[in-house]
Amino acid sequence: DGKETTMKVVLNQGEKGRVLSAIFASSTTSAIPATSSTSSSASTPPAPPAPSRPVFPLVVAGFGGAALVTGGVLFALGLNRVPANCSVSNKDCAAPPGDPAFADAHSGTSMANIGAGVAIGGAVVLVTGVILYLTSRPTVSSTTGQVVQPWVARGASGVALTF
């Protein structure tokens, strides 16, 4: 009807072929009476949803953090199970042969070694999850429900249906 509409579009790298949608005010909108909460001028369209990063890398980082804490606890418990007359750093036990301190020291160091491995693995998974989160490109979540969108391209046009 001889009216112009301006639409500002911000595209990120790699968004070729992105679907754009716009709502054009019809000539009948001025016939709708304004309510007490709105002014008599045309209302502004709702703001588009903000882009967000995926949640999966945070889940990976959470599992890594849990493994890191679990490994640290196993490491500390294992070292506490080593008897006082045994040295972990020197791999030496001041006990007579056949003393149960040897078995306790072996059990404690085995638990500490497993805890160290779990903690290191958890740290790697935690760092990987954080890196994946920080390097992922924010995306706009898709709309839910039924959407009908007309589209026009060079040499083609149509209607896109989303259910």
Side-chain angles (χ1 to χ4, degrees), residues 5 16 40 104 123 127 135:
T5 301
K16 182 178 179 181
S40 61
D104 292 342
V127 169
T135 58

Side-chain angles (χ1 to χ4, degrees), residues 7 12 22 26 31 58 72 75 85 88 93 116 119 127 130 155 161:
M7 183 175 175
N12 291 324
S26 66
L58 293 178
F75 183 79
N85 60 344
V88 176
C93 233
V127 169
V130 169
L161 303 174

Side-chain angles (χ1 to χ4, degrees), residues 74-143:
L74 284 174
F75 183 79
L77 289 175
L79 289 181
N80 282 337
R81 289 181 74 182
V82 176
N85 60 344
C86 296
S87 171
V88 176
S89 60
N90 295 337
K91 298 182 182 177
D92 186 32
C93 233
D99 193 313
F102 290 110
D104 292 342
H106 178 66
S107 172
T109 54
S110 294
M111 181 184 278
N113 289 338
I114 290 171
V118 169
I120 291 170
V124 168
V125 171
L126 172 68
V127 169
T128 301
V130 169
I131 290 172
L132 285 174
Y133 179 74
L134 294 176
T135 58
S136 64
R137 185 174 42 144
T139 58
V140 177
S141 62
S142 62
T143 59

